[in-house]
Amino acid sequence: MKVSVLASTLIGSEIIKIAGEVNEMKSRGIQVANLTIGDFDSNVYPIPQELKQNIVDAYAENQTNYPPADGVMALRESVSRFLKDRMGLEYAAKNEILISGGSRPLIYSTFLSVVDPGDKVIFPTPSWNNNHYAHLLSAEAVALPVSAENNFLPTAADLAPHVKGATLIAVCSPLNPTGTMFSEPALKEICQLIVDENKSRKEGEKPLYLMYDQMYAHLTYGDHEHVNPVSLMPEMKDYTIFIDGSSKCFAATGVRVGWGFGPAEVMDKMKAIVGHMGAWAPKAEQVAMAKYLDQTEAVDTFLASFKAKIKSSLDSLYEGIIALKNEGFAVDAIEPMGALYLSLKIDYLGKTTPDGQLLQKSTDLNFYLIREANVALVPFSSFGTDDMCWFRASVGACSKEEIVSKLPALKAALAKLK
């Protein structure tokens, strides 16, 4: 059967392939530490009790019809208050905030609203799905390789050679897949680059926008603090489209309530696109979230406990990997900064397994570790990079005890490679 050129050139998800292997092993009763999925085991990390009750109440009140295309007004108003209270950001509920079913419709509608076929879109690799969204729009994708030395984040110097004629820079902090985040000086330099570039453009020329994905903004650890473009440089308000929501900070991935905010004229176009896709969040969940965001004490209590639990798992995995490094294994990790991810370096490409298989690619190594150590990771190659020895470990779908219990098996599996 014939399909469109676009459909025929889509690249399948490597993460889905890994999940298939993990699920097949689990069906045979093998206990695999699934560190692949950017999700939460809802038995380990349930959503806030107050939010759960609000959802039950909303269904009891028959809040089951279509919501407004840009979201229930009460939710947009509570998001506006939440942003001001938590980040000092002032965005109007009426026309600068958009609600959707999680972050994906917001990201896709951002691309559709500002990017034309052939337009230049700049993003770092590794990063989540920017390569696919650029492909869907037939944009010119400028995928910038970034390194561990800069915590896998782009610098202004990395971006500068490419901004002329570009329409969109897409970044995320804390970053999926690495768990790393921008420092204030680094982000401020990028903001200055964008402001200067836009000042140089002619009247009527499309601006250079920044899509700033901050879905993990409330999940930061230690001395690391989230920063955003508009607080650092108010001039960026005209050019910044924020992606945000409840999925990660409240373990509410299945609740499907995301919010974007930015320039009113862009939000208006995104609203129309989300409406045509029917990609709004369910009304009952919107009503429930509106009430929850205003429950300040409940939000504070949940975030404190939630963050401590995730950090404990991240720290345990990080310390385990560093212990292996100190024993002479070719591994490394970047200190946990934010999100629910740890960047792991497992430098064993070119080695041979006990049964004689040569590990030529990171996917070969990953499937070896799944089978031999019952530990499943995601190679950075799944996030648009060339093949390298770095992997994402996501701790949301496992308990701390399960993660720690697999470290001896990981050590034994690596020791067998020659």
Side-chain angles (χ1 to χ4, degrees), residues 7 9-13 131-132 135:
T9 55
L10 286 174
I11 301 169
S13 169
N131 54 333
H132 297 297
H135 177 74

Side-chain angles (χ1 to χ4, degrees), residues 5 7 24 73 100 103 123 145 148 162 184 208 214 243 246 266 350 360 364 380:
V5 172
E24 192 276 330
M73 176 55 81
S100 83
S103 67
F123 53 88
H162 307 284
E184 181 175 319
L208 171 59
Q214 58 172 28
I243 308 298
S246 65
V266 178
Q360 295 180 297
D364 298 335
F380 276 12

Side-chain angles (χ1 to χ4, degrees), residues 8-291:
S8 66
T9 55
L10 286 174
I11 301 169
S13 169
E14 189 64 39
I15 300 175
I16 291 175
K17 295 178 186 176
I18 298 167
E21 177 90 0
V22 170
N23 291 335
E24 192 276 330
M25 292 177 71
K26 285 188 171 183
S27 72
R28 293 189 278 119
I30 300 171
Q31 296 301 310
V32 180
N34 187 0
L35 304 178
T36 65
I37 187 167
D39 196 3
F40 300 95
D41 181 328
S42 55
N43 293 308
V44 178
Y45 296 102
I47 66 172
Q49 181 58 41
E50 295 84 358
L51 175 58
K52 184 186 296 186
Q53 188 59 52
N54 290 349
I55 293 171
V56 171
D57 292 345
Y59 277 104
E61 294 163 3
N62 296 319
Q63 299 281 7
T64 54
N65 57 320
Y66 285 133
D70 51 356
V72 170
M73 176 55 81
L75 176 55
R76 284 184 277 136
E77 289 173 342
S78 66
V79 168
S80 181
R81 289 189 291 271
F82 188 77
L83 294 173
K84 185 174 182 179
D85 292 345
R86 304 275 167 168
M87 297 183 182
L89 292 169
E90 296 202 24
Y91 282 85
K94 181 180 179 180
N95 60 357
E96 293 179 322
I97 296 172
L98 172 65
I99 309 300
S100 83
S103 67
R104 293 174 193 240
L106 295 167
I107 296 171
Y108 191 31
S109 62
T110 296
F111 273 75
L112 286 167
S113 295
V114 302
V115 178
D116 289 309
D119 278 1
K120 191 191 299 185
V121 176
I122 309 168
F123 53 88
T125 57
S127 65
W128 182 79
N129 261 25
N130 287 308
N131 54 333
H132 297 297
Y133 288 116
H135 177 74
L136 285 168
L137 269 75
S138 300
E140 178 191 343
V142 180
L144 295 180
V146 288
S147 66
E149 287 68 32
N150 284 324
N151 292 323
F152 293 106
L153 290 162
T155 65
D158 294 328
L159 296 164
H162 307 284
V163 296
K164 282 296 172 199
T167 296
L168 184 65
I169 296 174
V171 296
C172 175
S173 181
L175 176 61
N176 179 8
T178 65
T180 56
M181 52 198 292
F182 281 116
S183 67
E184 181 175 319
L187 183 57
K188 196 165 187 177
E189 286 185 2
I190 291 172
C191 293
Q192 189 64 60
L193 176 70
I194 293 170
V195 168
D196 290 345
E197 171 59 25
N198 281 316
K199 285 179 178 177
S200 75
R201 297 199 172 185
K202 298 175 183 176
E203 185 177 351
E205 189 177 355
K206 193 189 298 183
L208 171 59
Y209 289 102
L210 175 70
M211 187 182 77
Y212 197 71
D213 182 342
Q214 58 172 28
M215 285 293 290
Y216 303 90
H218 299 289
L219 300 181
T220 61
Y221 312 113
D223 295 330
H224 301 286
E225 294 184 2
H226 177 71
V227 291
N228 75 78
V230 174
S231 293
L232 292 181
M233 192 171 292
E235 290 173 276
M236 283 295 295
K237 190 169 185 181
D238 290 339
Y239 311 121
T240 305
I241 302 162
F242 285 91
I243 308 298
D244 206 339
S246 65
S247 296
K248 308 300 182 178
C249 61
F250 301 129
T253 52
V255 176
R256 308 311 301 145
V257 180
W259 46 86
F261 49 101
E265 60 273 20
V266 178
M267 290 297 111
D268 184 59
K269 303 307 179 188
M270 290 172 61
K271 168 186 170 181
I273 292 166
V274 168
H276 283 306
M277 291 191 292
W280 47 74
K283 187 178 181 184
E285 278 76 358
Q286 291 195 42
V287 170
M289 189 64 67
K291 292 180 180 178

Side-chain angles (χ1 to χ4, degrees), residues 364-376:
D364 298 335
L365 175 56
N366 197 42
F367 283 116
Y368 167 75
L369 294 177
I370 292 172
R371 293 188 297 269
E372 192 69 27
N374 300 158
V375 173

